[in-house]
Amino acid sequence: MVSPTKPGPRVSGDFEALLSQAHSRSSSEVVGPGDEQCSVVDASELESVPGSEGAATEQGPGPAVQLLEQAATAAEEGRNEDSEVWRQQRKHLFVLTHSGKPVYSLHGDENALAGLMAVMDALISFMKDQGDSLQSVRAGRHIIVFLERGPLYLVAAAATGEPVSVLHLQLHLLHSQILCILTDGFQKVLTRNARFDTRRLLGGVDGILEALHTSFEVDPSAFLVAFAPLRMPALLRRSLLLALQTAVREGGALYGVLLAGSKVAALSQGASRPLHPHDLLALGAFVRGSPSFQAAETFSPVCLPHFNPSAFLHAYVHYAHKDAKVCLLLLSTQPDSFMRLADAARRFRAEVNDSGALQAAARSGLQAGEGQVSISSLPALAGGGEPGMTPLLHFLYKHPGRSQFVLATWDALAARGRLPQDVVPHYARIHAAVFRKDEEFREPQPSPLRVYYHSTDEYAAIAYASAEYELYALFDPLAQKLAIVQICQRLCAWVKGSQQDLFVPM
Amino acid sequence: MTDRPVPKPFKLCLYDDRRGQVEGQEHEKILAFYPSTASLLSRTSLIGFAQAMKAFTSVFDQAPCESILADKHTWALHSCEAHITLLLVADRGQLPSATTQAALKTVLQHMHNLLYLLLGSLSQLLQQQEGVEGARKLIQPVIAEFALYSLAALALLATRSPSFGKRLMSAASGRPKPGPKGQKSLLSPRTWQRLPSGFLVPLLGDNVGLEGSAASAEGHGPVRLASMWQEGASEPAGLLALSHGDALLLLIVPHSYAPDHRALISLANAFRGQMQELSRAAKEHFGAIRHGHVTGFRYVFEDALAHTTVQSPASKVATLNKDSLALASAVRGWAADLAQGDEEASVEVAARGQPHCWGLARRQGDNVLVLPLEQHKGDSLLESCAAAQKFADERCPGVFW
């Protein structure tokens, strides 16, 4: 549904007029009081500006020449779309306001990209003026996806092979990450005042948004709606969990999370309000993207959008083991609960140190792949073996009931020159096929598939989906179907038998 | 202009982005537009937006923008020649549910193929003495005819394009499909006449690219033939069509060939025996209601070598349930995506939907086989793939391995 907005730009049938309107609007918005920089993307616009041609005057170069020089410098430094380096990025993420003001760009400088974002605003506004809503665009290998959230537009342009549904979800999560930092309060301000500069509120958070983007590249958490648990012996995990539950209770917290890098070692949450996996994703990016948390105990406001997008919780953050990035988070609704949470955290650390559970978590976290399942460690009948000795190249197993997944290590694929960034989009496409996520079909989507298989010259891929488990696996392209099916059956049985070590109890 | 209600769900446009650069003259870009009742502002708005989007996407990808999906409309763009674009905007609520953007793009490609067949290169047409106005007079009827016959028939949009041969057969049968009066395109059966010899030639009058004379209509003097363009040709060729029963013979001849009626009668007599035999064989082979049916299977096989498509009869396909049809369409699309345009790609896709249906697709280069299997023997991946391979070995031997 198209939400009511301010009146859009006057519709013109001519592209140059459309762009001219966009630039004039971007210039008035960007070069405003307090704004020190601006940029103009389309240098041809300057040709009609008096004084833009010719050398500097006696007083120095005119403003138009300065703009041209700034744009050229921005291009050289890779900060805007005139830079070849910028254009070659596989994915771009943009956030802009309804008035075309830049808020964020994954690559480059928002100021230097003001003109481009103004064009995005103009295109989206044109569609809205027609009573329609722009969803996605395809050009060559690129898919460009548009999302409107309150007074913000979010745009993704990607040549990663990820389907539209996944890019759409990533934009949604990018918006959630902004809410995680600001709550949705800023949107109300922005709706009232279109000139409000949201960028100032997001100063210093590039690391957090970068951490989120990195998770999209190498981690299927987003499209699986699940988190990755740290693999560790069941008994030690249990002692971690009990200690964490005690800390949550004694600290008066809502949630307790023990992270080891990007994995969850333990999780304590109420049965009535379980922590949504996407909130956990945002929390993880928030912590990993803020290096200052490693320096000392920290007490920071943080919003969990699925819990309550309009209010902050208060997070006690402390790195119990810096090398392994083992980090304790206790989340409370009380802004004055730091001392109580800190006390509870000290008792937690003492207890898990004594039991050896913390060291076990640290060891697991320090292993290559952060404790992911190595294919070479699997039983042979379940596809185990060294790279080249087994047809199984990689797998991903989701436990829907616990919203957790297990990922194999990347050795076998790395031996074939494939990086996680190449393979995760492949899983995303298979997942979208299994769950029939196709933006082109308007009717209610049919039920998910139960089995999916494809073979190409690169891989043989298979997926099984049920209420109890989901398995996605990649095999050598020459693998026989019979062998693939048998390995999958035994792999599922192995995972089920090892789930105490693999999954966090809920 | 037309005598049937304009189907509002579609807008079709051909434009040249080199023209109309002066503000206020943007409409000069338009070479043809459907429906012709659309206001000038709506036409230029569409083109302006398409151009703006093309410029925007060029920041990221050198390939031109080919599709735009909005909540209510879908846009397809085809850069058919340098600076010349075909644009289709369709109401998604009015399209068949299985219509994909790839299908719309294919329709535009077929449209350009037809334009080229009838008029040759559009770029060259624009450079001719008659200029852009002359070109518009030739292009607009073809666009309008194409839209009315193809796009108005919504069910055709996702699967078929108008066949030039079908139009001629309709003319030959003497029962042309009703079309708008005053139509001036060779796509309309009304613009053809059947001579006593059996050859089909365009009607005289102000038809597209033709001139006639009263003498030739009455059986005296040379008969003027239809013109057509072959790809890469520097000049048009002449087209002669001879129908007999269910067979249609198309002869491409030098443009200078100007037979009189006597010569056409001799030519028709020379082909008559073979045409009778061909017509009889065609009726026997293709006319059977169950032509293409294979007991226990529903399928479609696109044979790249023979440039043909063989499929289960429509009556048999109609027995499949909606989910099975959707799954068949889905696996076909996934196989195409996995092939990524590679002419040598070998792809196999199998998927099991609810409640008990398998969808299987095989691609070997441009050969495609799609099989929905409902309640088939065995219910496993191995059994279903084996059944598909057995079908392929028997019905398309040597194509899929």
Side-chain angles (χ1 to χ4, degrees), chain A residues 371-415:
Chain A
Q372 289 169 203
V373 176
S374 166
I375 290 177
S376 58
S377 69
L378 291 171
L381 290 177
E386 294 299 324
M389 304 303 291
T390 167
L392 178 64
L393 298 177
H394 195 265
F395 74 90
L396 167 59
Y397 181 103
K398 179 183 174 184
H399 192 315
R402 298 192 189 190
S403 299
Q404 298 175 40
F405 68 90
V406 170
L407 203 60
T409 54
W410 300 99
D411 319 31
L413 288 171

Side-chain angles (χ1 to χ4, degrees), chain A residues 136-157:
Chain A
S136 63
V137 176
R138 288 176 193 264
R141 294 183 57 236
H142 277 81
I143 296 177
I144 304 170
V145 176
F146 301 83
L147 177 69
E148 182 177 3
R149 279 289 180 269
L152 295 180
Y153 296 140
L154 299 103
V155 181

